[in-house]
Amino acid sequence: MLMAAVCMALLGCLQAQELQGHVSVILLGATGDLARKYLWQGLFQLYLEEAGKSHSFRFHGTALTSTKQGQEVIAKVLESLSCPRDTAPGRCAELKAQFQQLSEYRRLKTPEDYLALSEDIEARVQREGLQEAGRIFYFSVPPFAYAEIARSINSSCRPGPGAWLRVVLEKPFGRDHRSAQQLATELGSFFQEEEMYRVDHYLGKQVVAQILPFRDQNRKALDGLWSRHRVERVEIVMKETVDAEGRTSFYEEYGVIGDVLQNHLTEILMLVAMELPLNISSSEAVLGHKLQAFRALRGLQRGSAVVGQYQAYRGQVRRELQKPDSFHSLTPTFAGILVHIDNLRWEGVPFILMSGKALDERVGYVRILFKDQAYCAQSEKRWVPAQSHCLPQQIIFYIGHGELGGPAVLVSRNLFRPSLPSAGWKEVEGQPGLRLFGRPLSDYYAYSPVREQDAYSILISHIFHRRKDSFITMDNLLASWVFWTPLLDSLAHEVPRLYPGGAENGHLLDFEFSGSHLSFSQPPLEQLVPGLDSAPMPSDFQVLRAKYRDSPLISAWPEELIARLAGDIEAAAVQAVRRFGQFHLALSGGSSPVALFQQLATGHYGFPWAHTHLWLVDERCVPLWDPESNFQGLQAHLLQHVRVPHYNVHPMPVRRRQRLCAEEDQGAQAYAEEISTLVTNGSFDLVLLGMGTDGHTASLFPQSPVGLDGKQLVVLTTSPSGPHRRMSLSLPAINRARKVAVLVMGRMKREIAMLVSRVGREPKKWPISGVLPDSGQLVWYMDYDAFLG
Ligand code: BG6
């Protein structure tokens, strides 16, 4: 009776003795999101393709959920499965019924549950006179559960001798190199590498899987094209419109780099960049060449990346993870990365990797743009797409979605007519008006799969057929983490640029590169509109404008704050040069302005450096070449990168006659004279100050009467911390300035910032409180840590 039922359930009703064996598929986490969306459908597909051939199957959906609940969920999922497009409805219902009969739900929690499952499988196999071929365990569970499950399978649920075991693991495989290694070691103590199938579902995407075959089949045409001599740049992109809502506990740990770049985009990068093995069906050769390409990757620096976070993310994290309102997440939900490959083939070619949530469109592609080397003498209207070398030349592996709506391989007609396997690929039908990457679709040879298939269905079939080349080996995984971990470390404290999400992002996330450095093309938004459901909070604003001690306050995250201050200084410089022909800027030392100097050095091409005079606000009494000297900081982070005429640079004369800051050497008076000679009325165009945790500014310290009033422009002072002797602009000199900017950054400044906000003008106690330009403007620049704590 039972035998008959099984027989009925098999397509074609094969006799048991014809079968090569029985396969049990155990889907762990069978009620979860991934399983419901893709894996059950993939298993159904496997059943449709294989059951009529030589194996019998049984599908065990398992989870921690109670049997009743689990059964209900599974029943619904099985009901919603879909058949291939050309299946008649009646036939589809029949096939689904067969699959449902072979599928069950069971709770799998304790080692005893695993043992019971194993015994059930053995009993069934015996009862039905079958032979066990093997077991597939698909781990669709969070990685923290891996080790426990692996232990139970290994101890109680391995198939008997002669049958195989395959365990399928879903990313994330670690958060960095160390944790990936740890996980690999742990799993390695239960399973052989041969038994493990690490899924990167992008390797199952039809177009991604076509990259190597495409390169192989078009070797001749690509020979002269696939290298630095002809490739201008490569873009590997995965844009999403969805955000991370509902997944923030996962996302907080991995961010966009761990979620997408370290795996999907890196795998694609390798397929494009690796040397092509003679035999692309040899997984050893492919892996070997991949690892070689990994070794050639140039290490990523902090400046190789730009990161962003969509504005609603922080609120979602607070809600979902029950964090207080003061919680700020630094997790990037957007990243643009510039990769270089230091080998003969790719030296100097920029590879741009980009991915993000809450963007304006959903699309994935690899775009290889070739160098434009031609000049066309004929008028543009006579250019023929298939011949003109003046039209862009590109090859695009269009992974899916976007304007085209599905996967395709596109090759500019002026490059060559590619060869694709005629069995699985067809020419894309024209879509009038559709333009891709700046050209009408008709400019490309365009091919798409005859039958679109979901990546998971493809990979499940590969697991069944033991095609390990579509999976991530341990060496491959660790090589990828070796590459990404240093960047993740260097970004750990980086504040991502906030973006509103969707079409409103405008050009806010555009970025550009020069050398190995990547930066956003536009300054950050002044202000973002807060969510409709809440009153505006300070944290809703990218840059907050307010008042502090009755003067304008600009507050923002450090990156935006520095960008804003640099922009304001440049604007003041341009204006001063236009009006007076020169710009006198007095700069403080210390650590806060370093980022500002770097920003000015790299991002402000319009700065009139040739007409700028640089002065020091204060100096330590050490030789100018001493690393502790403020001048050294200026030299290292600004002067060596910009062209300021050397006679416009005015270090403080702390060392005269081989002595440091001796009163009798009159260094302070000499500097004051220099100021009076060169700066009209001794009035600097802009003075940049900081604020110490004790309320000092420049080198004017509390409880020290020097420099707080009187006529002297420059004074010698004593600092409570070493090096003690200082030279400083006096408070009157500072207050003569046209504009004073006070930059205050970091949590350590929070307390003094609060205190100074309440006190009156008491420079003896808090010298900073004496800063108020006589006729100029004072602006406070504080980051959120200093301002809001
Ligand atoms: C997954 C990521 O690996 O890929 C998700 O965890 C992402 O964050 C998804 O949304 C995208 O895959 P696809 O197939 O929809 O492009």
Side-chain angles (χ1 to χ4, degrees), residues 147 150-151 154 158 165 185-192 195:
R151 178 172 294 114
N154 188 44
R158 274 186 172 274
L165 169 72
T185 313
E186 213 162 22
L187 291 172
S189 63
F190 302 117
F191 307 125
Q192 311 278 339
E195 294 173 330

Side-chain angles (χ1 to χ4, degrees), residues 559-621:
E559 185 210 8
E560 280 83 38
L561 188 71
I562 291 294
R564 174 62 192 260
L565 176 53
D568 289 354
I569 296 178
E570 179 175 352
V574 170
Q575 201 187 29
V577 171
R578 203 176 293 141
R579 288 177 63 194
F580 312 114
Q582 50 192 2
F583 176 59
H584 288 276
L585 173 63
L587 294 168
S588 289
S591 57
S592 290
V594 168
L596 173 72
F597 295 165
Q598 287 170 347
Q599 173 85 18
L600 285 172
T602 53
H604 290 262
Y605 303 113
F607 204 107
W609 291 115
H611 305 283
T612 296
H613 283 254
L614 290 175
W615 301 85
L616 271 287
V617 160
D618 64 337
E619 187 54 281
R620 293 145 189 241
C621 292

Side-chain angles (χ1 to χ4, degrees), residues 91-322:
R91 179 71 183 136
C92 180
E94 217 176 284
L95 294 170
K96 275 167 67 171
Q98 289 167 3
F99 184 68
Q100 281 161 3
Q101 255 192 319
L102 292 178
S103 304
E104 62 152 22
Y105 174 80
R106 66 195 294 150
R107 189 154 101 140
L108 209 52
K109 204 168 178 184
T110 63
E112 292 74 39
D113 293 339
Y114 283 84
L115 191 60
L117 170 65
S118 189
E119 288 170 354
D120 283 359
I121 294 174
E122 279 155 24
R124 176 179 295 272
V125 166
Q126 272 206 344
R127 218 169 36 236
E128 290 165 14
L130 302 169
Q131 265 221 331
E132 184 164 15
R135 297 179 189 179
I136 297 174
F137 285 86
Y138 201 119
F139 284 46
S140 179
V141 295
F144 65 78
Y146 279 11
E148 210 42 50
I149 296 176
R151 178 172 294 114
S152 300
I153 294 174
N154 188 44
S155 64
S156 332
C157 216
R158 274 186 172 274
W164 45 256
L165 169 72
R166 288 174 202 157
V167 292
V168 187
L169 304 162
E170 273 289 339
K171 73 171 188 62
F173 308 115
R175 268 190 313 274
D176 52 18
H177 182 252
R178 198 184 49 78
S179 55
Q181 182 127 46
Q182 205 173 343
L183 183 66
T185 313
E186 213 162 22
L187 291 172
S189 63
F190 302 117
F191 307 125
Q192 311 278 339
E193 177 66 18
E194 180 55 29
E195 294 173 330
M196 287 188 269
Y197 289 70
R198 295 182 195 82
V199 171
D200 181 319
H201 80 280
Y202 263 62
L203 293 184
K205 301 245 175 200
Q206 284 167 297
V207 161
V208 176
Q210 191 56 36
I211 297 176
L212 281 189
F214 176 90
R215 290 182 57 190
D216 190 42
Q217 277 172 33
N218 296 284
R219 270 180 201 264
K220 222 163 137 215
L222 292 175
D223 228 17
L225 288 174
W226 210 255
S227 74
R228 69 193 157 103
H229 299 298
R230 289 300 316 279
V231 174
E232 170 81 28
R233 70 194 215 195
V234 178
E235 300 166 358
I236 304 176
V237 170
M238 196 258 243
K239 292 172 71 178
E240 297 189 275
T241 47
V242 292
D243 63 21
E245 189 162 27
R247 295 176 77 206
T248 54
S249 68
F250 161 83
Y251 216 78
E252 268 298 273
E253 280 204 57
Y254 298 94
V256 68
I257 296 181
D259 186 35
V260 169
L261 283 105
Q262 176 275 326
N263 35 72
H264 306 326
L265 300 197
T266 305
E267 285 306 310
I268 297 172
L269 169 67
M270 290 298 113
L271 294 175
V272 173
M274 68 193 261
E275 293 300 307
L276 197 58
L278 275 178
N279 174 9
I280 61 159
S281 351
S282 153
S283 5
E284 291 82 48
V286 171
L287 176 65
H289 284 69
K290 244 191 199 182
L291 292 177
Q292 219 172 18
F294 266 117
R295 282 192 286 274
L297 291 175
R298 188 185 300 169
L300 294 173
Q301 313 272 327
R302 164 66 203 94
S304 323
V306 286
V307 289
Q309 185 187 84
Y310 64 86
Q311 198 197 354
Y313 180 74
R314 205 182 312 154
Q316 292 170 352
V317 173
R318 286 181 193 153
R319 261 195 313 281
E320 291 177 15
L321 306 184
Q322 272 123 46

